[in-house]
Amino acid sequence: MAPAGPASTDREAALRPHLDLVRLRAEAVLTRRLNAGFGFADARIPAEVYLRDDAARGRLRKGSLKPEKTHGAQAREIEDSIAHLHAQLAGHASPLAELGTRFGLGDAERGLLALAVAYELDADVRDLIHVLAGRRRPGLWSDLCQELDPALAGSAALLAALHPSGALL
């Protein structure tokens, strides 16, 4: 472990916007689930299965008395903060940006790298991701990566970023 000093503080400050963006995206996923009426009861109950497909989720919700749109203001605030951070990161020089440029990483690989670094370095990000994982063992699960970063939303992009012959592995 490197001694704490000005250089390590500068690196941490350079990474902070990336970590904040991942944390805000995790908050956005959680509020999306809460607004859909999920997350208020035990995740083992079949009615608490959160489906990412809106139509399927709507079919299963028929006749239920789940709360909906309970976190609308928070969701809007988070989306505004994400947009602000995107603008801030546009010209931001950081170790992650330099690494992405040096290794020729695409958007999906950069997104996966940012998720892994944020998961490792930020306790709030870890806690939010563990909540999103439900009853599974704590970890950064690939299906959550798809929800957390738009560049990983497609299965092909996620599989390419995770592939053993890819730039990250």
Side-chain angles (χ1 to χ4, degrees):
M1 184 90 175
S8 67
T9 304
D10 291 343
R11 282 191 298 266
E12 290 172 19
L15 287 173
R16 179 51 43 200
H18 295 283
L19 304 180
D20 290 344
L21 181 62
V22 172
R23 181 183 41 76
L24 284 169
R25 285 180 174 163
E27 289 178 28
V29 171
L30 181 60
T31 57
R32 190 176 321 127
R33 289 182 182 187
L34 292 171
N35 279 331
F38 294 87
F40 295 102
D42 189 346
R44 293 175 291 188
I45 299 170
E48 281 299 307
V49 174
Y50 177 77
L51 299 174
R52 287 153 189 87
D53 179 20
D54 291 335
R57 192 172 56 241
R59 284 189 298 272
L60 292 178
R61 286 186 54 90
K62 288 181 182 174
S64 71
L65 297 173
K66 288 181 176 249
E68 283 188 49
K69 299 178 181 146
T70 56
H71 293 73
Q74 294 91 331
R76 286 187 296 281
E77 182 181 336
I78 291 167
E79 290 302 319
D80 291 344
S81 297
I82 288 173
H84 175 74
L85 269 175
H86 272 293
Q88 185 180 348
L89 281 170
H92 183 70
S94 73
L96 283 180
E98 183 180 330
L99 188 65
T101 302
R102 187 176 293 174
F103 286 102
L105 301 179
D107 290 341
E109 289 94 356
R110 287 174 191 248
L112 189 60
L113 180 62
L115 286 172
V117 168
Y119 180 81
E120 184 62 31
L121 297 180
D122 192 309
D124 288 340
V125 168
R126 249 188 328 275
D127 289 342
L128 284 165
I129 289 173
H130 293 169
V131 165
L132 293 171
R135 305 294 275 171
R136 294 184 278 188
R137 184 173 48 90
L140 182 58
W141 296 87
S142 61
D143 62 320
L144 292 178
C145 293
Q146 287 185 294
E147 283 189 86
L148 292 168
D149 195 304
L152 296 166
S155 296
L158 179 67
L159 292 174
L162 289 172
H163 197 274
S165 67
L168 291 177
L169 301 177

